[in-house]
Amino acid sequence: MAVALAGARSPGAGAILSLRRLAPAAAAPVRLGGSGSGTPGTRRRRGIAMAAAASAPPAPADALPKGADSFFRTVISNMEKVYLSRNPTAKTILELVRSYDGDHICYDHFAFRTFGVDGYGIKSLAEFFTDFGYVPREELRFPAKKLRALWFSPPTNDGYTRTGVYGPLPRIFISELLVDELSPQSQDIIQKYIRTSGKGNKHATLASTSGELTWEKPIYSDFQVLSRESEYAAWTLVNGYALNHTTISTHRLISDIRSINKFNKFVEDNGFKLNSEGGILKVSPDGLLQQSSTVADSALFTFADGITESIPRSYIEFAERLVLPQFKDLPNDEHQICDLLGSINVAELQPRFNIDSRQSP
């Protein structure tokens, strides 16, 4: 079992080999080992040209002490509450799944967006998660969208007895917009609001749990300017550190909808539209990770200048991880306990967190 667990908690040679077989597309992400090296400009040029060889990942942290575990789960539960209060599609789908399958929902990952400038980027949120045992894994670059991202694996958490945010801890994805690569006008707009934030970047987690912006509420014309250049920038300006999306692990369900194809049909039969950009079902190169998502909800937002317009909120994603070949003969209950599931190195599938696609309806 120890060998199996080690395999489950690290990317593994199989995932790395499958990445080498993946031909890069123009808009596809570029993997960089660790957090990258050299100057930002050097890293970008190297990333655009080719993916750097991945370094061996660090070992996962020990399990959190009981008190720390309880506090951490309360924090991410509050992040989830803000997310569900703003996104009726996600809330309703979770309720429908529970009514059909019972209380077996577990989250594959949570994803956040940030502005990569003046300390408001990945680090502003990452420190909270690393303080509670999360381990940074690989870096991704999305050159066409001017984005950088890191994903973090959770600490050992085999002792869970519940589901949702109180079940197996989710992976964490945090991305940042490379603001210095935007047009001067967009840079000026983002910097203008960052300057009103004081030291808000030091309280990113609090902002995420409360749903509040750490900078002044924007005016509509600034939102429009950013929307024309970067959907990501406009979304972050009005949503801040709020949870961008969650992902249900369909393989942890117990009914027929544990199959993602049947899950997708279940969602559509209940009247919800799935995101069809790039195809409804996104599949990793090794075929072991399959994902889909809804389109984002939208909501009316009153800007600082009194104009009320619709803005994009968030969406919900669904993922089925198939058993890695080396563990296919284990009994099903051991698959659940160990989470020995395909493409543990999630960083290899670009659409998995739809970081560079327009999710609004």
Side-chain angles (χ1 to χ4, degrees):
M1 183 65 72
V3 173
L5 284 170
R9 292 176 185 142
S10 64
I16 293 172
L17 286 173
S18 70
L19 275 171
R20 291 173 182 162
R21 292 194 297 267
L22 176 62
V30 174
R31 275 177 75 240
L32 300 177
S35 59
S37 60
T39 65
T42 301
R43 288 200 302 270
R44 282 195 291 273
R45 288 192 296 272
R46 182 187 307 138
I48 292 170
M50 62 179 292
S55 57
D62 294 333
L64 290 174
K66 186 175 181 180
D69 183 83
S70 176
F71 173 76
F72 178 82
R73 290 178 188 275
T74 299
V75 171
I76 62 172
S77 173
N78 286 330
M79 292 175 174
E80 180 197 41
K81 287 175 183 175
V82 171
Y83 166 79
L84 294 178
S85 71
R86 294 178 172 181
N87 300 286
T89 294
K91 185 175 185 293
T92 303
I93 288 176
L94 289 170
E95 291 170 351
L96 287 169
V97 172
R98 288 191 179 100
S99 69
Y100 186 87
D101 189 85
D103 191 17
H104 303 108
I105 291 173
C106 297
Y107 288 123
D108 182 88
H109 64 269
F110 281 9
F112 302 87
R113 293 178 171 188
T114 67
F115 286 133
V117 64
D118 295 344
Y120 282 79
I122 292 171
K123 185 179 178 181
S124 60
L125 270 172
E127 287 186 345
F128 170 75
F129 292 101
T130 55
D131 282 349
F132 284 88
Y134 274 76
V135 178
R137 294 300 187 177
E138 283 148 318
E139 176 180 319
L140 289 167
R141 293 274 175 162
F142 297 77
K145 295 294 178 178
K146 302 177 176 62
L147 301 175
R148 169 180 175 260
L150 282 173
W151 75 275
F152 300 77
S153 59
T156 303
N157 65 133
D158 296 331
Y160 58 84
T161 58
R162 296 168 65 185
T163 60
V165 294
Y166 295 96
L169 291 174
R171 299 162 180 82
I172 298 296
F173 289 89
I174 308 174
S175 56
E176 66 181 18
L177 180 66
L178 302 175
V179 175
D180 62 353
E181 295 185 8
L182 298 178
S183 67
Q185 185 181 21
S186 291
Q187 289 187 49
D188 288 346
I189 289 172
I190 292 169
Q191 290 281 4
K192 177 177 72 173
Y193 289 102
I194 292 298
R195 285 194 295 270
T196 70
S197 180
K199 295 183 179 179
N201 59 318
K202 296 184 180 297
H203 307 286
T205 303
L206 180 60
S208 185
T209 60
S210 67
E212 296 295 325
L213 298 174
T214 66
W215 45 79
E216 285 184 355
K217 181 182 283 191
I219 61 174
Y220 183 54
S221 59
D222 287 340
F223 174 77
Q224 286 181 301
V225 170
L226 293 187
S227 294
R228 287 192 287 268
E229 180 168 1
S230 168
E231 175 272 336
Y232 185 108
W235 189 96
T236 306
L237 184 69
V238 292
N239 289 284
Y241 289 110
L243 186 57
N244 176 255
H245 73 263
T246 62
T247 300
I248 296 174
S249 296
T250 67
H251 52 269
R252 288 185 177 273
L253 302 175
I254 63 171
S255 66
D256 60 314
I257 59 172
R258 63 181 285 118
S259 159
I260 196 162
N261 287 314
K262 291 184 178 179
F263 191 98
N264 288 342
K265 186 176 186 303
F266 173 81
V267 170
E268 291 181 314
D269 286 350
N270 277 281
F272 295 98
K273 182 180 179 181
L274 295 176
N275 175 33
S276 60
E277 184 173 347
I280 285 178
L281 192 65
K282 285 79 173 176
V283 183
S284 64
D286 59 12
L288 297 177
L289 174 60
Q290 303 179 64
Q291 292 184 259
S292 59
S293 68
T294 64
V295 295
D297 282 331
S298 59
L300 292 177
F301 182 90
T302 301
F303 291 84
D305 49 1
I307 298 173
T308 299
E309 290 288 344
S310 178
I311 63 166
R313 288 299 192 184
S314 302
Y315 58 98
I316 187 166
E317 195 172 59
F318 322 112
E320 180 182 9
R321 294 178 183 275
L322 304 180
V323 179
L324 292 166
Q326 60 266 43
F327 305 123
K328 64 182 177 63
D329 295 325
L330 283 177
N332 284 337
D333 59 340
E334 293 194 49
H335 294 159
Q336 291 291 334
I337 293 171
C338 300
D339 199 15
L340 307 176
L341 297 157
S343 297
I344 292 299
N345 183 6
V346 194
E348 70 186 85
L349 181 61
Q350 181 260 340
R352 76 209 167 283
F353 58 144
N354 296 302
I355 193 168
D356 64 347
S357 61
R358 185 174 296 273
Q359 285 290 313
S360 53

